[in-house]
Amino acid sequence: MTERKLTRRTMMAATGVGAVGAAALAGVPGASASAARRGHGLADAVVAAFRRHRVVAIGEVHGQQEHHDALQTLLLDPRLPEVVDDIVVEFGNALYQPTMDRFTDGAAVEDPDLRLVWRNTTQSPVATLDAPMYEQFFRTVRAANWALPENERMRVLLGDPPIDWARVTTKEDVRAFDDRDGHMASVLKREVLDKGRRALVCYGSRHVMHAPPGAEGGGGIPLIEQQTGQRAYVILSGGHPRLASHPRRAVIPAQGTWLETADSSEFHYLPGDCGIAFGAIADALLYLGPRNEQTQSLWNPALYLDPAYWAELRRRKAITGAPVDLRRQYRHQHSVVWPTPPPGEC
């Protein structure tokens, strides 16, 4: 680890991710005001944040294509493996960690085995995660690792609890895996922090946002912060009319900008709460563009013509009592237009 940390410092100096860039992104006094207002690219923001933090968390917008487009550019940035050891994701069942380790290391993994990673999470059958962007995420990490020495490859840690659907027969069996945030925190502590490693976390915004001052509990990131004293750097995705002049995928720090005191409920495609300042729950905002220009990544309805897969989804629905019309949700073609309603009034 000592040798690799030296490599990271050398890399950051060589690529120019230095005092001004890191200061602007981390909210350090003395940062360029104009840089703070305009923001930085996602890769620049993440690399700079790792100068001061061992955990950097990005709030994933489930199913949003533009969000995963931004993640793709981040994963392929050649600087990322220099600052990241592990990538912890919500959209993968920890039961299949050995499968994912083989896959991202470049070994041959049959497609039916790989699909179990995202199809068999605790969120099935409400969310099958068959949208192509999730599979593409894993394949992109594999591609980024391809030319790297074994000790420099990024490991994907599957953060969803290790439910084994083959053994599930009752609703109580499913409830045994309800503590998803606790599981995520345990993975971060055991596999990352206790080993002196650094992690990029890609989870839904509710799981990664800081707990507001005076609040306890919350998602997985607040839990790990409370348990270890390690403060994560949190980037949430959102839109706002005041951001219309900003370029897409700009990351704007909260500290020292209007975002610090903005009501978090005012943002599009961000699960904020009335009366809670954005700066209380996040360190920076990833702007993906206007709300009415967002799209969603959709699964191929033909996937659900597989009799065995369809029967299993129906079995899971019967067990969980999930309020989902499987046929309408999965076997019908939907529009790619992002269905997010405008923010509510406080």
Side-chain angles (χ1 to χ4, degrees):
M1 281 301 298
T2 300
E3 184 175 328
R4 189 167 180 192
K5 286 178 182 175
L6 289 173
T7 302
R8 287 172 177 153
R9 292 195 194 100
T10 304
M11 178 279 302
M12 289 175 187
T15 55
V17 185
V20 174
L25 290 163
V28 176
S32 164
S34 60
R37 284 194 298 270
R38 296 298 297 172
H40 297 255
L42 181 58
D44 291 336
V46 168
V47 170
F50 272 114
R51 290 175 60 89
R52 296 173 177 268
H53 302 267
R54 290 177 58 192
V55 176
V56 176
I58 301 176
E60 193 226 359
V61 187
H62 299 324
Q64 191 176 41
Q65 183 65 60
E66 284 70 23
H67 179 84
H68 271 256
D69 289 345
L71 290 180
Q72 290 289 314
T73 63
L74 171 63
L75 293 174
L76 291 173
D77 191 288
R79 297 170 295 173
L80 192 67
E82 296 288 344
V83 295
V84 169
D85 300 298
D86 305 301
I87 304 173
V88 186
V89 300
E90 180 181 7
F91 40 88
N93 182 340
L95 184 69
Y96 305 101
Q97 188 63 55
T99 299
M100 184 53 57
D101 286 340
R102 293 197 307 275
F103 182 73
T104 53
D105 269 348
V109 175
E110 297 296 334
D111 284 345
D113 296 327
L114 186 63
R115 293 187 195 112
L116 300 178
V117 168
W118 59 83
R119 284 186 173 183
N120 284 357
T121 72
T122 59
Q123 302 308 288
S124 181
V126 174
T128 62
L129 304 179
D130 280 317
M133 64 186 194
Y134 293 111
E135 179 177 357
Q136 185 60 45
F137 185 100
F138 299 128
R139 293 191 180 278
T140 301
V141 175
R142 175 186 167 100
N145 280 342
W146 188 260
L148 297 175
E150 184 176 354
N151 65 333
E152 294 182 15
R153 293 171 189 162
M154 297 177 290
R155 185 186 186 200
V156 173
L157 293 171
L158 304 175
D160 194 65
I163 188 171
D164 185 350
W165 279 102
R167 297 174 178 269
V168 170
T169 58
T170 68
K171 199 168 188 176
E172 288 66 34
D173 292 338
V174 179
R175 286 175 177 162
F177 298 92
D178 276 351
D179 188 10
R180 301 174 66 234
D181 286 304
H183 182 76
M184 184 251 271
S186 70
V187 169
L188 264 175
K189 185 177 185 302
R190 181 183 67 251
E191 298 294 334
V192 180
L193 298 178
D194 287 352
K195 296 181 179 180
R197 294 165 68 87
R198 299 187 182 196
L200 177 70
V201 178
C202 297
Y203 259 72
S205 296
R206 285 287 184 191
H207 299 284
V208 304
M209 59 177 56
H210 297 300
E216 295 184 4
I221 289 299
L223 284 176
I224 200 67
E225 290 177 328
Q226 294 158 18
Q227 292 170 7
T228 68
Q230 288 276 348
R231 183 169 174 84
Y233 190 89
V234 174
I235 302 172
L236 298 183
S237 299
H240 195 284
R242 291 183 63 176
L243 295 169
S245 64
H246 285 69
R248 291 173 181 266
R249 301 183 190 173
V251 177
I252 309 155
Q255 187 173 349
T257 72
W258 65 273
L259 290 171
E260 189 169 13
T261 57
D263 195 297
S264 61
S265 68
E266 298 174 358
F267 293 81
H268 306 142
Y269 53 90
L270 184 153
D273 293 306
C274 294
I276 302 297
F278 179 83
I281 60 174
D283 301 290
L285 181 132
L286 169 60
Y287 176 59
L288 297 172
R291 176 180 59 86
N292 60 357
E293 295 181 10
Q294 304 305 300
T295 60
Q296 54 184 332
S297 178
L298 294 171
W299 48 86
N300 182 350
L303 294 174
Y304 306 102
L305 297 179
D306 176 352
Y309 186 29
W310 188 247
E312 175 61 13
L313 290 178
R314 293 182 65 186
R315 184 185 77 90
R316 294 177 188 180
K317 173 178 166 59
I319 291 171
T320 62
V324 56
D325 183 332
L326 294 177
R327 185 172 295 277
R328 181 177 180 83
Q329 177 157 322
Y330 294 121
R331 284 188 168 178
H332 287 235
Q333 189 70 51
H334 300 280
S335 170
V336 298
V337 175
W338 184 254
T340 305
E345 296 183 2
C346 294

